[in-house]
Amino acid sequence: MPPLIRVTGLSKVYGAGQSRLWALNHVDLEIQSGEFVAIMGPSGSGKSTFMNIIGCLDVPTQGAYQFNGVEVTGLDHDRLAILRRHYIGFVFQGFNLLARTTALENVELPLIYRRVDRGARRQLAHEALQTVKLEQWVDHTANELSVGQQQRVAIARAIVTRPTLLLADEPTGNLDSHTSQEIMALIEALNREQGITVVMVTHDPLVAAIAHRTVYFVDGHVTSDQHQSESA
Amino acid sequence: MLWNALGLALQEIRRNALRSFLTMLGIVIGVAAVVTMITVGDGATMQVSQQIQSLGSNLVMIVPSRRMGPVHGGVGAPAFRRADIEAIRRDIDGLKAAAPLASSSLTAVVGNGNWLSAVTGTDNAFFTVREWPINAGRRFSSTELVSGSAVCIVGATVQRELFGDEPALGARLRLGKMACRVIGLLAAKGQSAMGSDQDNLILMPIRTFQRRISGNQDIGLIQVSANSGDSVAALQVSLEALLRERRHIAVNEDDNFTMMSTREIGETLAGTLTILTALLGTVAAVSLLVGGIGIMNIMLVSVTERTREIGIRLAIGALMRDVLLQFLVEAVVLSAIGGLLGIALAILATLAITDMIGVPFVLNLGIILLGFSFATVIGVVFGYFPARRAAHMAPIEALRHE
Ligand SMILES: Nc1ncnc2c1ncn2[C@@H]1O[C@H](COP(=O)(O)OP(=O)(O)O)[C@@H](O)[C@H]1O
Ligand SMILES: [Mg+2]
């Protein structure tokens, strides 16, 4: 079985000439199905760039990316969108919810684009909101919810399609430590109970400690890749 | 997906109710203008053809003056005489009737009431030519016509204004020094194509008119009607030849009389109205285009404002065509609602205008459908560009947008 994610020589270059900036510089990495990987590194080291590319939101300047054995680089907008809608759930630091839309409708959104009919959509969205313990809040609009609740809605939206891969870019970056722990427990449970592969960017070593594996980025390079058992 | 896009569009329009309304205002006014212009124009055209019909179909009018124009004035030509009418009746084929007319505007007096009316001397051919029946009483007798008796037949307006509810038949009305007895009442005809009241009319034998009112033998107007089925054009040709001969017009000279058929007049008027309607309709259609540009403008602003929303939708798996559809449907819904409001406004405006200028209100479903479809098409055309811009956004760029 091929690894879920395999990137080779992955590079992302911004700008040209003097101001050329290698946000990612020939990164080679494999992530197996079922893993829980924490990505760490100083600000500006290319973590988000890496996440966006493996999340098929962005395309690399150079290098190859195989998702589940399928070459992703070179696919057009719509094919990338189909990949995202079927296999990938994304949780952003800034949540990225539709503000004046209810929690339920936000969670239903990916299913609408997958042409899931109304009844099934409702049910799946309710289940996802139950998973993140927001069943009391389904009819509240996103801007009526606390930041912790908003992030849980975002997680529900990411998992409602039963993705293979859950990507989270600093999901707890805007949260207080208590809420942050709740969110982490949630993500950890998704990995452990549902077998969803999780890749998560974090600055918090305690958060990273929950992961099986920690990958360090510095200046667009992977400088360290440790499995928890090795580091422990 | 379409239903979903429709729901989103309505939600978005409701959310920005004021802006949406202002955006569609251009379409509302454009559609209202187009539909109003065309509906009023249709009503006017219909009225004109009805009035021409009421003048008598197949009618030819001949006046003893040159066609009005900058070179020749309308003066200097001799009037027609009794002999001209007799010659026409004798020599022209395909003729149904030919009536001599001599008219003057005079005040008729009955008791304390008086009324300015068109007093016309003619004979019984008038009723045939104009297809104008007598409601009560009778036509002129041959004795009255030959001897020039002081008898008259009055139109509905004259009857109403001078007699009111009093019986008119057998009563007398005064015209200057002359008193004439009412022997008949004409059926009501209504307004003429030019807007004058055809029923404001007092008829008397032409001989009576010439002797007691004009004091000469002139006939100012000949009205001729063709047998139905016979060509009016052929009749006009033979009439022209006959009159040229009788009036001794040299071969190199122009006619010193003018002929017009009601059909010609009707066609000219209707043609003018159609051109006018088309012209105004086109001007209105341009305003509809301007309305479309307004929609495009606001949709572009909206797409920019909602860049982040677009990014979110793309990030969670919307295809380009999903986003395209969403914004296109929004533009179309905007313009379609604008179209509906415009039609409602047009119906109100048309009711007011037709009432004001006295034209019938003809509701043409075709025009209403056309106005609505045009608005919708404008939405598609002008909504496409902004929608395309939204659909082509790169998800990561859109998400970064603040
Ligand atoms: N759209 C962009 N244009 C130019 N430079 C960018 C862009 N996105 C990221 N960068 C640069 O690439 C580098 C890596 O950024 P990023 O992946 O966001 O880092 P991290 O998430 O680790 O903080 C940074 O130096 C950042 O300034
Ligand atoms: Mg980052």
Side-chain angles (χ1 to χ4, degrees), chain A residues 14-15 21 23 41-50 169-170, chain B residues 397 400:
Chain A
Y14 289 114
L21 181 106
S43 167
S45 56
K47 305 180 297 292
S48 292
T49 307
F50 176 75
D169 191 352
E170 301 192 41
Chain B
E397 305 294 335
R400 277 204 199 103

Side-chain angles (χ1 to χ4, degrees), chain A residues 3-231:
Chain A
L4 185 63
I5 289 169
R6 169 190 278 152
V7 298
T8 42
L10 196 74
S11 303
K12 180 77 180 181
V13 184
Y14 289 114
Q18 284 283 300
S19 58
R20 252 159 90 89
L21 181 106
W22 290 75
L24 286 179
N25 199 338
H26 296 89
V27 171
D28 301 314
L29 200 69
E30 284 186 9
I31 294 171
Q32 304 299 326
S33 199
E35 277 194 280
F36 186 162
V37 182
I39 308 273
M40 297 190 75
S43 167
S45 56
K47 305 180 297 292
S48 292
T49 307
F50 176 75
M51 294 292 276
N52 292 337
I53 291 173
I54 64 171
C56 299
L57 286 170
D58 203 357
V59 289
T61 315
Q62 272 176 35
Y65 169 25
Q66 280 132 30
F67 183 86
N68 219 355
V70 177
E71 187 57 53
V72 172
T73 40
L75 294 184
D76 63 21
H77 266 52
D78 275 358
R79 295 216 170 269
L80 290 176
I82 289 171
L83 234 159
R84 289 196 294 272
R85 89 160 52 142
H86 286 283
Y87 301 103
I88 300 171
F90 218 116
V91 179
F92 304 89
Q93 180 175 4
F95 320 140
N96 280 331
L97 298 175
L98 298 182
R100 288 172 297 184
T101 307
T102 65
L104 188 69
E105 285 166 340
N106 263 296
V107 177
E108 274 185 71
L109 211 53
L111 299 174
I112 290 176
Y113 291 119
R114 276 174 68 163
R115 316 286 194 271
V116 175
D117 70 53
R118 200 184 163 80
R121 213 158 72 202
R122 277 281 134 91
Q123 199 191 334
L124 288 170
H126 272 290
E127 281 171 21
L129 282 163
Q130 225 161 346
T131 309
V132 298
K133 304 196 173 58
L134 275 183
E135 56 268 51
Q136 312 295 328
W137 300 87
V138 287
D139 290 327
H140 288 72
T141 60
N143 45 6
E144 289 168 357
L145 300 175
S146 71
V147 283
Q149 287 169 329
Q150 287 186 43
Q151 192 59 302
R152 281 192 275 164
V153 174
I155 292 171
R157 185 183 65 187
I159 62 170
V160 74
T161 56
R162 312 253 157 93
T164 321
L165 174 64
L166 180 67
L167 298 172
D169 191 352
E170 301 192 41
T172 59
N174 287 345
L175 307 180
D176 62 60
S177 66
H178 175 71
T179 320
S180 159
Q181 271 170 23
E182 280 179 8
I183 296 291
M184 281 319 302
L186 200 60
I187 291 175
E188 197 266 335
L190 286 169
N191 171 255
R192 184 164 33 80
E193 289 162 16
Q194 300 189 19
I196 299 176
T197 310
V198 176
V199 181
M200 182 179 66
V201 176
T202 181
H203 283 299
D204 185 345
L206 291 175
V207 168
I210 300 172
H212 307 161
R213 177 183 171 192
T214 307
V215 177
Y216 283 88
F217 275 73
V218 175
D219 282 343
H221 295 276
V222 173
T223 55
S224 132
D225 183 356
Q226 298 175 310
H227 286 258
Q228 219 68 315
S229 46
E230 300 166 20
S231 62

Side-chain angles (χ1 to χ4, degrees), chain B residues 36 40 348-359:
Chain B
T36 306
V40 172
L348 292 180
T350 309
L351 278 173
I353 293 174
T354 49
D355 190 54
M356 204 165 66
I357 64 175
V359 155

